[in-house]
Amino acid sequence: MKIADALRALEAREARLLLARASGFSEASVLAHPERELPADVEAAFRAFAARRARGEPVAYILGEKEFYGLPLAVTPAALIPRPETELLVELALGEPFDSALDLGTGTGAIALALKRQRPEARVVAVERSAAALALAQRNAQKLGLDVEFRHGLWFGPVAGERFDLVVSNPPYVREGDPHLEEGDVRFEPRAALVAGQDGLDAVREIVRDAPGHLNPGGRILLEHGLGQDGAVRSLLVEAGIEGVATWPDLAGIARVSGGRLKS
Ligand code: GLN
């Protein structure tokens, strides 16, 4: 097999990533030498990757890595693959002053680790219910040398009596039975990280209900949500006594993050 043939076997960027991993060469060097014949062991490794990809397995799980907010994160099927739209949540959070931040349902640790990297002086706590995901997040923190405090449990459960300047979460928000769950990467991701009840808002309701008891006066809450959920999420926030409630669109123009602040 020639490099050129391998590159034609999958969507270009994916083929490049998988071929670079199989060969140990950079993506650039793979692209620069399409006429080069692949050594047998590299071809075997690439064919194995391509077969997994052809079955639908996400590239991030095959590589075991995904970049988020400039951080290379280890990923496994124990946690949701970090998405570019979640970088909006991080950007909005970084537009706020905070000495302490809490990330609920941290998964790979993506949001908490990005916040800690950008605000090393802040105390960042990350909560995760899945023990396997929590271990993954801790491994990411260690590898990146980022001192995030990890807690095992559901939403605010492990931070009883504690208050924060900032609460952020990318909770599960997909509706049960949503046909989107049978397509693409999500088929391989943990259901518990994706699905939240009939309307997809079960997790958001629990988080918003308890948020005022865990925010400092003037503290901010920012939540990611799905297409068409922004009105419902804003109503929940307002009902909980959150002020200055607003929604922000992602790069695709989809209302993606809503939030506000506790009165000072
Ligand atoms: N954005 C994801 C999807 O629909 C869902 C992520 C989530 O539920 N937090 O593919």
Side-chain angles (χ1 to χ4, degrees):
M1 186 186 237
K2 285 193 179 22
I3 283 184
D5 302 323
L7 288 172
R8 270 195 292 272
L10 297 171
E11 190 261 314
R13 160 92 185 153
E14 294 183 358
R16 227 152 62 216
L17 281 166
L18 295 175
L19 193 51
R21 173 61 61 86
S23 65
F25 290 115
S26 69
E27 278 182 72
S29 115
V30 156
L31 270 185
H33 304 286
E35 76 294 343
R36 201 183 282 171
E37 191 65 28
L38 292 173
D41 57 335
V42 172
E43 177 173 342
F46 175 77
R47 285 188 189 280
F49 286 161
R52 289 169 67 183
R53 184 68 192 119
R55 285 195 298 271
E57 199 174 331
V59 172
Y61 285 158
I62 298 173
L63 296 175
E65 190 173 283
K66 176 78 181 182
E67 192 183 291
F68 179 81
Y69 218 81
L71 301 176
L73 296 175
V75 297
T76 74
L80 197 77
I81 299 164
R83 308 257 199 293
E85 57 266 32
T86 304
E87 294 179 339
L88 168 67
L89 182 66
V90 172
E91 257 161 45
L92 291 167
L94 291 171
E96 301 296 326
F98 63 88
D99 294 327
S100 59
L102 175 65
D103 176 19
L104 297 174
T106 198
T108 57
I111 298 170
L113 294 168
L115 293 179
K116 185 66 185 178
R117 166 58 61 88
Q118 300 298 322
R119 294 281 178 82
E121 70 291 353
R123 173 177 175 244
V124 179
V125 178
V127 169
E128 175 55 52
R129 177 176 53 172
S130 153
L134 190 68
L136 174 66
Q138 282 171 315
R139 177 150 69 88
N140 276 320
Q142 201 160 29
K143 195 180 62 170
L144 296 166
L146 294 171
D147 185 16
V148 167
E149 284 176 43
F150 290 98
R151 309 274 180 89
H152 188 200
L154 183 60
W155 311 138
F156 293 104
V159 293
E162 292 177 65
R163 288 181 183 268
F164 299 84
D165 294 336
L166 176 70
V167 170
V168 290
S169 183
N170 172 19
Y173 54 70
V174 179
R175 277 182 286 277
E176 265 165 29
D178 187 327
H180 161 74
L181 293 166
E182 309 312 321
E183 295 160 21
D185 286 4
V186 290
R187 291 171 298 168
F188 293 79
E189 294 180 297
R191 285 289 150 120
L194 289 164
V195 177
Q198 300 261 310
D199 62 354
L201 292 171
D202 282 4
V204 170
R205 270 188 289 271
E206 287 180 40
I207 290 169
V208 170
R209 181 194 64 209
D210 295 337
H214 294 278
L215 283 167
N216 286 321
R220 276 268 177 187
I221 177 168
L222 290 165
L223 300 174
E224 182 173 323
H225 51 69
L227 176 69
Q229 293 177 328
D230 56 303
V233 174
R234 283 195 303 272
S235 299
L236 289 166
L237 288 164
V238 169
E239 283 165 32
I242 299 295
E243 298 182 344
V245 171
T247 294
W248 295 267
D250 65 18
L251 289 173
I254 294 170
R256 182 61 69 187
V257 174
S258 292
R261 79 189 95 73
L262 194 67
K263 63 179 174 304
S264 321

